[in-house]
Amino acid sequence: MSAAGKIVVLTGASAGIGAAAARQLHRDGVKVIPVGRNAAKTAAIAEELGEPALTCNYADLDDVRRLADALLERCPRIDVLANNAGGMWVKRELTKDGNELNFQVNCLAPFLLTRLLTDRLRESSGRVINTSTMMVHKHGHIDLDDLDSEHRYKAHDVYTTTKVGAALLLREYARRNPDIETADYHPGIVASEFSRDMKFQRMLLRTPLGKPLQKLLDTPEVAGQRLVYLCETEEKLTGGYYFKNERAEENPVVLDVDNARKLWDLASRRVGLEV
Ligand SMILES: NC(=O)c1ccc[n+]([C@@H]2O[C@H](COP(=O)([O-])OP(=O)(O)OC[C@H]3O[C@@H](n4cnc5c(N)ncnc54)[C@H](OP(=O)(O)O)[C@@H]3O)[C@@H](O)[C@H]2O)c1
């Protein structure tokens, strides 16, 4: 897929990996439609890209439906949907839709957005790229009977589980839509705003002890390049997991077709779509 002239819808474009990727894509001649949550931050990146800003809070599924309508109105074509928005929340919280917050933001909201944009993606011979994490493939698991983490809440585990959910759903999406290319990838351990809800981690990184740790992190630019690669590559993307621009081994958990189908049904009901 040659870059210039393509239309990329990029969520989580207001900060970190998304903002860095948006700038790189823009430099390559791609028309980037930036979506963020914070209005001021999204307006700032949108101005750099010369595009109007779209905002959406994934904690509200009606807002996701509004976003899909706005994108369908604005984009005659969608060559790439980059589902990059995401985060980790330290305390358990339910959204107004009644879902655990990590599960909704990292899994249900991008699932809903992707489903609502499917016809446009198909017409455009488009692709869907999800920002995942290596933790999914190192030790990820999912309990379909506890999607809202009612029984146990450890932020890192909950975050990883919700990304396992997103990976399972993306693979089921690929099976149901073989004409739409898909991939997910690990961006690296990145010095972004990701730890915004983790006060201790943020404090530690600012101490003299944290300085050497900071050096081990990837910059948003390096991580953003990994997203740019998947947006622009001529390689046919057939649903695999990538790290450093190469296919990497997947956790069998994300290849469990039976679980993927069950989660598809559960997630569809949660977002009010047909199974
Ligand atoms: N950083 C890492 O080490 C790392 C590692 C593996 C995977 N990832 C994944 O990489 C992706 C990007 O993260 P990042 O590191 O760039 O973090 P970041 O700097 O915190 O950026 C996160 C982006 O997601 C948006 N977002 C957060 N909550 C949202 C919500 N409720 N509704 C809509 N948008 C929301 C943010 O919007 P606002 O800024 O406008 O609020 C921001 O644009 C995430 O999916 C994350 O899970 C990150």
Side-chain angles (χ1 to χ4, degrees), residues 208-227:
L209 201 68
K211 285 262 154 52
L213 286 177
Q214 260 185 359
K215 289 207 177 106
L216 297 176
L217 302 179
D218 285 316
T219 62
E221 287 69 28
V222 166
Q225 192 281 327
R226 294 171 181 151
L227 174 54

Side-chain angles (χ1 to χ4, degrees), residues 59-243:
D60 176 353
L61 293 175
D62 278 339
D63 217 17
V64 180
R65 293 183 191 101
R66 277 193 290 275
L67 171 65
D69 287 343
L71 287 166
L72 290 173
E73 173 98 19
R74 167 138 340 141
C75 306
R77 237 180 40 242
I78 300 176
D79 297 298
V80 183
L81 168 62
N83 286 313
N84 170 71
M88 184 195 309
W89 286 272
V90 169
K91 285 204 183 107
R92 184 174 181 275
E93 213 180 297
L94 290 184
T95 67
K96 71 190 260 285
D97 303 286
N99 305 302
E100 189 281 318
L101 183 60
N102 289 263
F103 180 46
Q104 181 158 324
V105 173
N106 295 326
C107 186
L108 292 177
F111 173 66
L112 174 59
L113 182 65
T114 307
R115 294 273 309 270
L116 293 175
L117 299 180
T118 294
D119 289 345
R120 188 60 46 87
L121 283 160
R122 180 173 295 115
E123 290 155 16
S124 319
S125 304
R127 54 176 60 157
V128 180
I129 312 295
N130 282 6
T131 304
S132 183
T133 162
M134 74 196 307
M135 292 196 279
V136 165
H137 301 282
K138 277 198 182 298
H139 54 75
H141 60 89
I142 189 162
D143 176 357
L144 297 187
D145 293 323
D146 191 22
L147 292 172
D148 293 306
S149 309
E150 280 178 72
H151 299 309
R152 186 168 170 273
Y153 192 91
K154 277 175 79 181
H156 276 90
D157 290 352
V158 172
Y159 167 74
T160 303
T161 292
T162 61
K163 292 283 194 182
V164 170
L168 269 172
L169 289 175
L170 186 69
R171 283 155 183 76
E172 182 62 17
Y173 183 83
R175 283 188 282 274
R176 290 171 187 240
N177 299 283
D179 45 350
I180 298 176
E181 294 183 26
T182 60
D184 56 19
Y185 75 103
H186 172 61
I189 306 295
V190 188
S192 63
E193 296 178 30
F194 185 73
S195 61
R196 60 179 100 190
D197 199 34
M198 290 160 266
K199 291 193 176 66
F200 175 72
Q201 236 166 292
R202 281 177 51 193
M203 245 166 49
L204 179 72
L205 282 174
R206 281 197 222 108
T207 64
L209 201 68
K211 285 262 154 52
L213 286 177
Q214 260 185 359
K215 289 207 177 106
L216 297 176
L217 302 179
D218 285 316
T219 62
E221 287 69 28
V222 166
Q225 192 281 327
R226 294 171 181 151
L227 174 54
V228 170
Y229 171 79
L230 290 169
C231 292
E232 294 184 351
T233 181
E234 304 275 352
E235 178 188 344
K236 188 171 164 58
L237 301 176
T238 55
Y241 161 65
Y242 285 73
F243 182 40

